[in-house]
């Protein structure tokens, strides 16, 4: 293959051999192939053997019910979990196209999850909570705009020429946490500051973006209080809908 040709070519010219991309073991690929064949046969027979209750209905009504069965989320989900395997293996070229079709194959996990009573119960809770969570999303968008704007203006520093970039250029520079040296400000724009708010309000706290000024830390403290409200509201919504199921 291309990887082996690259290695042989480099060795022939006294260069280091190419390092090939890791690949799944052949027995694992064979198991996946046989399972896909099994799922394909099961899906095909399920579609071909679909028979709605006949009550002297016309062919047009039968066809309408068959099409309704074909566009059900469970039928489409199974198709998206199966057929991208053949497309990704035989007809796609390029890295992006292969990745997209292989991501579709992750839907096989959802196909198995539909047989889990716990997963289906959790799905029902999520669906019933979407309407109430819309209000929470609007509140988070407002708070993200407010705190993102405040933290940007307090932590952006000064726009100046610096040698931190290659080649040297202009960027926002702020005083670092030690109060002596300068560093590039991670708050480069208001939309970029939304990332800091989301990481803070969801209690993730990566630590890649943080305030260093006293005023910025006060704003961060208030955003942490919003985090408590987010958790309390979301938990109450989920628990309320869980008890109704």
């Amino acid at each position: 293959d291309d990887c082996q040709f690259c290695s042989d070519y480099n060795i022939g010219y006294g260069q280091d051999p190419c390092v090939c991309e890791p690949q799944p073991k052949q027995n694992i690929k064979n198991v996946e192939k046989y399972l896909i064949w099994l799922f394909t046969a099961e899906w095909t027979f399920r579609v071909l053997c679909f028979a709605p209750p006949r009550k002297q209905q016309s062919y047009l009504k039968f066809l309408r019910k068959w099409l309704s069965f074909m566009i059900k989320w469970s039928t489409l989900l199974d198709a998206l979990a199966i057929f991208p395997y053949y497309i990704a293996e035989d007809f796609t070229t390029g890295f992006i196209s292969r990745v997209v079709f292989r991501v579709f194959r992750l839907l096989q996990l959802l196909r198995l999850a539909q047989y889990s009573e716990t997963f289906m119960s959790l799905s029902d809770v999520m669906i019933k909570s979407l309407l109430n969570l819309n209000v929470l999303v609007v509140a988070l968008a407002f708070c993200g705009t407010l705190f993102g704007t405040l933290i940007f203006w307090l932590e952006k520093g000064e726009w100046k020429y610096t040698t931190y970039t290659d080649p040297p250029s202009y960027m926002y520079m702020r005083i670092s946490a030690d109060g002596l040296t300068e560093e590039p400000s991670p708050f480069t724009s208001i939309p970029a500051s939304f990332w800091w708010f989301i990481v803070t309000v969801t209690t993730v706290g990566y630590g890649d973006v943080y305030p260093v000024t006293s005023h910025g830390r006060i704003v961060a403290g208030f955003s942490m209080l919003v985090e408590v409200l987010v958790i309390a509201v979301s938990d109450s919504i989920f628990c309320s809908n869980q008890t109704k199921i």
Side-chain angles (χ1 to χ4, degrees):
D1 53 6
D2 294 339
C3 182
Q4 185 62 41
F5 172 78
C6 172
S7 298
D8 295 341
Y9 180 85
N10 285 358
I11 293 175
Y13 283 88
Q15 301 177 9
D16 293 334
C18 298
V19 178
C20 301
E21 179 183 0
Q23 297 292 333
K25 292 184 178 181
Q26 188 60 41
N27 56 352
I28 297 179
K29 297 177 67 174
N30 291 337
V31 170
E32 180 187 21
K33 179 176 63 176
Y34 296 144
L35 289 177
I36 289 294
W37 288 354
L38 178 63
F39 290 153
T40 304
E42 186 267 341
W43 187 89
T44 304
F45 284 125
R46 179 150 46 95
V47 170
L48 295 178
C49 298
F50 172 74
R54 289 180 172 272
K55 294 183 179 179
Q56 296 182 351
Q57 57 185 357
S58 63
Y59 178 78
L60 184 60
K61 290 184 177 179
F62 173 82
L63 181 60
R64 187 181 298 115
K65 291 184 178 181
W66 184 80
L67 291 176
S68 299
F69 170 76
M70 288 295 297
I71 62 177
K72 286 178 59 178
W73 75 269
S74 57
T75 307
L76 294 177
L77 181 65
D78 291 345
L80 290 175
I82 295 171
F83 294 105
Y85 170 82
Y86 302 104
I87 300 176
E89 293 296 327
D90 299 327
F91 299 103
T92 59
T93 57
F95 175 76
I96 299 298
S97 57
R98 284 183 174 271
V99 168
V100 170
F101 281 103
R102 286 176 180 177
V103 167
F104 273 111
R105 287 155 60 182
L106 293 177
L107 295 175
Q108 297 172 16
L109 298 177
L110 297 180
R111 187 181 188 277
L112 296 176
Q114 65 183 337
Y115 301 104
S116 172
E117 183 178 352
T118 303
F119 180 83
M120 298 305 297
S121 175
L122 180 60
S123 300
D124 293 338
V125 172
M126 292 292 294
I127 293 174
K128 291 184 178 180
S129 302
L130 287 179
L131 182 60
N132 296 325
L133 290 177
N134 287 338
V135 181
L136 181 62
V137 171
V138 173
L140 285 177
F142 172 78
C143 292
T145 304
L146 174 62
F147 289 109
T149 303
L150 291 175
I151 203 70
F152 168 71
W153 288 107
L154 294 173
E155 293 289 333
K156 68 175 183 177
E158 298 182 8
W159 182 259
K160 60 172 59 177
Y161 187 82
T162 178
T163 57
Y164 272 91
T165 60
D166 187 18
S169 180
Y170 285 87
M171 66 186 309
Y172 284 114
M173 299 293 294
R174 70 175 184 178
I175 302 298
S176 60
D178 60 11
L180 300 175
T181 59
E182 286 187 335
E183 64 180 6
S185 175
F187 299 95
T188 56
S189 66
I190 294 177
S193 301
F194 290 172
W195 167 254
W196 165 83
F197 176 77
I198 294 174
V199 170
T200 301
V201 82
T202 54
T203 70
V204 177
Y206 285 124
D208 56 340
V209 181
Y210 55 88
V212 295
T213 65
S214 57
H215 298 89
R217 290 172 178 173
I218 292 175
V219 173
F222 280 105
S223 65
M224 294 174 189
L225 295 178
V226 175
E227 158 218 322
V228 177
L229 297 178
V230 170
I231 296 177
V233 172
S234 57
D235 285 350
S236 62
I237 292 174
F238 288 128
C239 292
S240 177
N241 290 322
Q242 179 68 39
T243 55
K244 295 178 182 179
I245 296 179

